[in-house]
């Protein structure tokens, strides 16, 4: 066990403020690696111990050497996937909170589907052959790119005429589910083998969330729907649906233990769902890390309040897990290992 208290390292964007604040609340140091454009913003916050500048996020490996040491723990978030990519994440030498093998299942939508099927959670029907498109579908490219470049199609001709714009990008074709998007933020602790619901949000996506404000006759042909996330708002779910939320989260964790060796999924994750008119949940994606929707809850949520008598954000929950593991001489349990 490292004698020195662990320090939290993360890229300065996405949910870095929440992660660093959480570290500080747990008495841990935080190091934010960011670009010159963002550095000044992070320096405004005295709870951040150190801000290191790099020319671009992709240059992260260049500072790794100076941070190497058994007490600096990297906390991945959405920007790690978006700006560093799969290989640079995997090549990272710093101790990493989470299981990196989960990234393969995040990047590859076919593997995600395999995971959801194994977990026995309901996901929208996927189409592998364009000729069989018999309802409205959403065509989604790979990676956490916030819905940029997605499109809708109603039939095979419609699909074929639009799919060309994707070039050689990989994509999936999914049944479009009409309902309320609900993003459930979980935390699974490998130390106590418990699943917690930290908070729930819904996203605001432009321009799909704008088109409903127009009368129908003005909607027709006006825009191509896009799904670029620009904000989030908090959500409370009907209490009678809560057992289902726990059930889905637990099934996803249990299945990850089988599919994603050696440690399965642990730490923060999010099930991105849509609830239809029958109150059925359709899981459209598993995000196996902290999601930006948790930024709403720096001070905790109604759900974290049920579990903790103090403000508990997901960022703080991560820091607490790292600290507890370290105090128990068990830091390895929350770090990636092959
Ligand atoms: P940013 O730090 O804003 O450049 O975002 C980094 C990554 O996280 C991008 O892939 C964004 O699409 C995603 N992201 C940022 N903010 C949010 C949000 N509020 N909800 C969901 N995803 C987000
Ligand atoms: P994703 O990149 O999978 O998180 O999807 C981005 C956004 O596209 C979601 O937040 C939803 O608004 C929308 N979306 C994705 N998949 C579906 C689906 N199968 N049915 C309806 N909307 C979807």
């Amino acid at each position: 066990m490292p004698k020195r208290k662990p320090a939290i390292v993360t890229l300065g964007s996405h949910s870095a403020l929440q992660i660093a604040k959480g570290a500080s609340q747990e008495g841990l140091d935080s190091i934010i690696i960011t670009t010159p454009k963002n550095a000044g913003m992070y320096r405004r916050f005295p709870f951040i111990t150190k801000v290191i500048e790099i020319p671009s996020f992709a240059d992260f490996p260049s500072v790794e050497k100076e941070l190497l040491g058994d007490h600096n723990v990297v906390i991945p978030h959405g920007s790690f996937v978006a700006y560093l990519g799969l290989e640079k994440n995997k090549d990272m030498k710093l101790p990493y909170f989470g299981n990196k093998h989960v990234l393969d299942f995040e990047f590859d939508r076919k593997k995600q589907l395999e995971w959801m099927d194994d977990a026995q959670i309901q996901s929208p029907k996927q189409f592998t052959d364009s000729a069989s498109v018999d309802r409205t579908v959403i065509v989604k490219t790979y990676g956490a790119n916030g819905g940029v470049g997605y499109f809708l199609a109603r039939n095979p001709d419609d699909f074929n005429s639009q799919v060309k714009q994707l070039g050689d990008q990989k994509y999936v074709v999914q049944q479009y589910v009409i309902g309320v998007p609900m993003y459930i933020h979980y935390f699974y602790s490998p130390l106590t083998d418990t699943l917690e619901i930290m908070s729930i949000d819904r996203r605001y996506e432009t321009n799909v969330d704008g088109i409903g404000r127009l009368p129908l006759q003005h909607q027709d042909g006006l825009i191509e729907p896009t799904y670029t996330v620009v904000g989030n708002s908090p959500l409370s779910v009907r209490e009678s649906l809560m057992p289902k939320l726990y059930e889905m989260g637990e099934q996803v964790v249990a299945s990850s233990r089988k599919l994603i060796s050696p440690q399965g999924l642990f730490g923060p994750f999010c099930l991105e769902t849509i609830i239809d008119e029958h109150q059925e949940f359709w899981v459209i994606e598993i995000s196996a890390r902290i999601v930006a929707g948790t930024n709403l809850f720096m001070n905790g949520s109604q759900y974290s309040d049920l579990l903790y008598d103090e403000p508990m954000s997901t960022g703080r929950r991560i820091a607490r897990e790292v600290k507890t593991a370290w105090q128990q001489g068990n830091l390895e349990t929350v770090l990636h290992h092959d």
Side-chain angles (χ1 to χ4, degrees), residues 272-286:
E272 307 189 353
T273 73
I274 299 179
I275 311 181
D276 70 14
E277 76 268 34
H278 308 296
Q279 297 187 52
E280 292 272 341
F281 284 86
W282 299 80
V283 178
I284 55 176
E285 208 166 289
I286 305 172

Side-chain angles (χ1 to χ4, degrees), residues 13-14 78-79 82-83 144-146 201 203 229-232 291-293 295:
S13 76
H14 192 269
S79 294
Y83 301 133
N145 54 6
D201 81 296
R203 281 187 189 170
V229 59
V230 286
N232 312 71
V291 293
N295 283 340

Side-chain angles (χ1 to χ4, degrees), residues 18 47 50 56 110 120 140-141 169 177 189 203-204 212 235 242 281 299 305 307 311:
Q18 184 198 157
F47 59 79
K50 193 172 176 186
S56 80
K110 291 208 170 76
Q120 297 184 312
K140 310 198 287 186
T141 48
Q169 286 184 78
V177 182
S189 166
R203 281 187 189 170
Y204 282 95
L235 209 75
M242 289 288 284
F281 284 86
N299 218 16
D305 235 22
L307 299 168

Side-chain angles (χ1 to χ4, degrees), residues 49 70 72 79 82 85 110 118 183 189 198 200 203 206 209 249 254 284 306 324:
T49 317
D70 55 5
N72 287 327
S79 294
K110 291 208 170 76
D118 185 80
Y183 290 71
S189 166
M198 302 302 297
I200 306 175
R203 281 187 189 170
T206 188
D209 281 316
I284 55 176
L306 297 170
T324 309

Side-chain angles (χ1 to χ4, degrees), residues 34-48:
T34 196
T35 56
K37 182 171 146 256
N38 296 304
M41 186 275 283
Y42 288 105
R43 291 202 175 99
R44 287 173 186 270
F45 298 98
F47 59 79
I48 297 172

Side-chain angles (χ1 to χ4, degrees), residues 15-298:
S15 46
L17 287 172
Q18 184 198 157
I19 292 169
K21 172 83 182 177
S24 147
Q25 286 168 314
E26 292 301 306
L28 305 183
D29 284 344
S30 61
I31 302 169
I32 299 291
I33 321 287
T34 196
T35 56
K37 182 171 146 256
N38 296 304
M41 186 275 283
Y42 288 105
R43 291 202 175 99
R44 287 173 186 270
F45 298 98
F47 59 79
I48 297 172
T49 317
K50 193 172 176 186
V51 176
I52 299 178
E53 285 183 46
I54 49 176
S56 80
F57 288 119
D59 295 313
F60 180 71
S62 67
V63 287
E64 245 200 311
K65 237 191 207 150
E66 68 181 272
L67 296 175
L68 270 179
D70 55 5
H71 65 286
N72 287 327
V73 176
V74 169
I75 311 297
H77 55 57
S79 294
F80 283 70
V81 178
Y83 301 133
L84 284 180
L86 185 63
E87 289 314 316
K88 280 188 176 154
N89 269 283
K90 286 196 167 173
D91 290 346
M92 211 179 285
K93 304 282 181 300
L94 283 168
Y96 182 99
F97 182 81
N99 175 0
K100 287 187 194 176
H101 297 299
V102 168
L103 289 169
D104 292 326
F105 285 76
E106 261 206 286
F107 264 77
D108 185 332
R109 290 194 185 266
K110 291 208 170 76
K111 283 192 161 182
Q112 279 236 347
L113 189 61
E114 212 182 288
W115 186 6
M116 293 182 200
D117 284 349
D118 185 80
Q120 297 184 312
I121 53 174
Q122 178 168 251
S123 60
K125 180 178 160 67
Q126 304 256 15
F127 294 83
T128 48
D129 166 20
S130 66
S132 61
V133 170
D134 59 355
R135 62 194 86 181
T136 301
V137 292
I138 180 165
V139 181
K140 310 198 287 186
T141 48
Y142 280 30
N145 54 6
V148 178
Y150 292 5
F151 66 86
L152 300 180
R154 284 190 168 186
N155 53 48
D157 286 346
D158 193 10
F159 173 84
N160 288 327
S161 68
Q162 296 186 76
V163 76
K164 293 180 198 120
Q165 73 201 34
L166 295 184
D168 52 12
Q169 286 184 78
K170 285 183 162 183
Y171 60 84
V172 287
V173 183
Q174 261 183 11
Q175 159 197 6
Y176 189 86
V177 182
I178 298 176
V180 175
M182 186 179 283
Y183 290 71
I184 310 152
H185 315 144
Y186 297 91
F187 189 95
Y188 171 69
S189 166
L191 298 175
T192 58
D193 185 24
T194 40
L195 181 75
E196 298 165 24
I197 292 173
M198 302 302 297
S199 43
I200 306 175
D201 81 296
R202 72 156 290 187
R203 281 187 189 170
Y204 282 95
E205 295 167 333
T206 188
N207 52 21
V208 280
D209 281 316
I211 190 151
R213 296 160 60 110
L214 289 172
L216 184 62
Q217 72 267 27
H218 292 289
Q219 291 180 17
D220 194 23
L222 180 67
I223 57 159
E224 276 307 319
T226 55
Y227 297 85
T228 306
V229 59
V230 286
N232 312 71
S233 69
L235 209 75
S236 266
V237 67
R238 275 174 79 152
E239 194 157 310
S240 52
L241 292 172
M242 289 288 284
K244 182 69 187 171
L245 266 54
Y246 281 106
E247 188 186 304
M248 290 191 297
E250 272 165 359
Q251 284 166 213
V252 164
V253 171
S255 155
S256 77
R257 293 241 183 95
K258 279 190 279 166
L259 296 183
I260 316 173
S261 67
Q263 298 153 289
L265 171 69
F266 64 87
F269 69 99
C270 172
L271 292 186
E272 307 189 353
T273 73
I274 299 179
I275 311 181
D276 70 14
E277 76 268 34
H278 308 296
Q279 297 187 52
E280 292 272 341
F281 284 86
W282 299 80
V283 178
I284 55 176
E285 208 166 289
I286 305 172
S287 280
R289 58 194 154 77
I290 183 169
V291 293
T294 59
N295 283 340
L296 281 166
F297 306 103
M298 303 243 187

